[in-house]
Amino acid sequence: MTVFDGLAKYQPQALAVLRIMTALQFMEHGTQKLFNFPVSDHAGALSGLSLTAGILEFAGGILLVLGLFTRPVAFLLSGEMAIAYFMAHMPQGFFPVNNGGDAAISFCFIFLYLVFAGPGAWAIDNGRGA
């Protein structure tokens, strides 16, 4: 038995922490677009695409923090981040570290993982039988 074998029993809790912390960080992008909090250099009137992204990021983040409709919300947000990467970041250059797309790629694949893995512990979905 290795030292890591005993950690497997905490997998649902670790998955929940990943879901919650990622969602809180994601929500911050939405609050920045919608409410200019935290304060940003990009403040101003939102276009239809930016407004839609802000709403998805804020509302989707709340739903994921709560673990409510986790799989469909994560699927939607994963797609949003893929679109964001290819529309906003990829045209700036090939390498994510240079085009500012690191976060978009990370969010995309974490959300895609949640589609398959589910919410983990501490989720409303667990009481709904989802």
Side-chain angles (χ1 to χ4, degrees):
M1 179 169 162
T2 69
V3 71
F4 296 110
D5 289 340
L7 295 177
K9 66 183 173 188
Y10 299 107
Q11 185 273 337
Q13 292 82 7
L15 179 57
V17 170
L18 176 69
R19 170 182 49 85
I20 292 166
M21 294 309 299
T22 303
L24 289 171
Q25 289 180 339
F26 196 64
M27 278 176 54
E28 193 172 11
H29 290 273
T31 61
Q32 195 170 50
K33 285 179 182 76
L34 297 173
F35 312 119
N36 197 31
F37 180 80
V39 176
S40 165
D41 294 337
H42 307 294
L46 295 175
S47 69
L49 197 56
S50 295
L51 179 62
T52 301
I55 292 168
L56 285 172
E57 291 161 5
F58 183 64
I62 290 171
L63 290 170
L64 287 183
V65 165
L66 297 172
L68 181 60
F69 307 117
T70 302
R71 291 175 195 258
V73 169
F75 182 76
L76 180 68
L77 297 181
S78 177
E80 179 204 359
M81 288 295 93
I83 291 167
Y85 180 77
F86 287 108
M87 283 184 70
H89 299 285
M90 186 73 164
Q92 305 300 317
F94 180 76
F95 297 104
V97 71
N98 292 336
N99 68 25
D102 310 54
I105 290 172
S106 294
F107 282 130
C108 179
F109 283 95
I110 291 170
F111 294 147
L112 187 61
Y113 176 70
L114 291 176
V115 172
F116 291 92
W122 314 314
I124 294 173
D125 284 343
N126 295 336
R128 296 179 45 248

